[in-house]
Amino acid sequence: MESIPIRSIQHYLYCPHRWGLMEIDCAWAENYFVVKANLLHERVHSSDRFSGRGKKVHTAVSVWNDDYGIYGVTDCIEETARGLCIVEYKPTKPKNADWSEDDAMQVYAQKLCVDAVFGGNCEAVLYYADVKQRVRLPLAEQREEFDAKLRAVLSKMREALRNGTIPPIRRGQPCSGCSLRDICIPKLRTAASVRSAVTALLEETL
């Protein structure tokens, strides 16, 4: 079974085509949003562990789950008398929702790994830096739903990796903030023909 890094799951959920360009074509590019997220995670990971207010905080913890074939590094695990709690840091909170489904799926995969490595049934929250707010995720209450979707996504990812096939661009996929936009050129790939796409691009610049 092909081992899948947890960060790759989040990339696939955001855009399967972008994920394929990175994982299969080895394409990469950074923009403002990528750098902003990287700086946030570097800041969180800068300290191995610290204690205070009745809890121990461990950062950059390597975890894995052999049953699912997934592995990764958590931003932060808080250890209290109640047990463990994953804290995943994200730079921006969604405008019209309490949390992003893609972010929640990433944290669910982390939970599976943390529970497998340390035992127990850990909790999990997202921390959105722009609003300085923690959002508790209903991973226990919606476990079956999250689990079914994760297994389906992992199956699709492994199939694409085996075949070396980059998934097509989804209809309605938001591309404006993607760091690979200039590599992907979504208007060309989704247009009825390359000729019509190039014509449209020229009309925009004239």
Side-chain angles (χ1 to χ4, degrees):
M1 180 168 54
E2 183 80 19
S3 294
I4 301 290
I6 293 174
R7 69 176 184 278
S8 187
I9 297 171
Q10 203 272 343
H11 289 315
Y12 184 93
L13 290 168
Y14 172 71
C15 175
H17 185 74
R18 182 178 187 271
W19 167 83
L21 290 175
M22 291 190 296
E23 297 296 330
I24 297 173
D25 268 7
C26 299
W28 180 247
E30 294 188 348
N31 62 4
Y32 168 81
F33 301 105
V34 172
V35 173
K36 182 180 179 180
N38 288 342
L39 290 174
L40 174 63
H41 287 90
E42 286 177 11
R43 182 178 179 184
V44 175
H45 295 175
S46 62
S47 176
D48 290 336
R49 65 187 63 188
F50 55 90
S51 301
R53 297 184 180 180
K55 65 183 176 183
K56 293 182 179 179
V57 178
H58 310 271
T59 62
V61 180
S62 296
V63 292
W64 60 90
N65 186 306
D66 292 334
D67 291 337
Y68 286 76
I70 56 177
Y71 66 95
V73 177
T74 65
D75 281 345
C76 172
I77 297 178
E78 295 181 347
E79 180 184 356
T80 67
R82 293 179 54 189
L84 302 180
C85 180
I86 299 169
V87 183
E88 174 67 19
Y89 287 73
K90 296 295 180 182
T92 307
K93 187 178 186 295
K95 292 182 179 179
N96 301 315
D98 290 334
W99 41 268
S100 160
E101 184 178 354
D102 297 354
D103 294 342
M105 285 297 299
Q106 178 189 4
V107 177
Y108 175 70
Q110 291 180 358
K111 172 180 166 56
L112 292 175
C113 294
V114 171
D115 288 348
V117 172
F118 299 104
N121 183 21
C122 73
E123 296 183 349
V125 299
L126 286 165
Y127 178 83
Y128 288 109
D130 60 334
V131 294
K132 298 181 179 179
Q133 179 184 356
R134 286 190 175 201
V135 178
R136 179 186 174 276
L137 297 172
L139 302 184
E141 298 88 336
Q142 301 179 26
R143 185 182 184 93
E144 291 185 4
E145 178 182 341
F146 278 108
D147 199 70
K149 183 170 183 178
L150 177 62
R151 290 181 183 275
V153 168
L154 289 173
S155 177
K156 292 177 182 178
M157 293 172 71
R158 290 188 172 107
E159 181 180 3
L161 290 170
R162 282 195 304 270
N163 299 334
T165 304
I166 297 175
I169 299 175
R170 293 182 298 199
R171 184 181 298 274
Q173 175 68 42
C175 301
S176 59
C178 178
S179 64
L180 296 187
R181 187 178 181 184
D182 290 342
I183 297 174
C184 175
I185 317 178
K187 286 189 177 182
L188 290 180
R189 293 179 183 271
T190 57
S193 69
V194 173
R195 182 181 181 85
S196 62
V198 171
T199 300
L201 289 173
L202 287 174
E203 289 176 353
E204 290 180 3
T205 59
L206 294 178

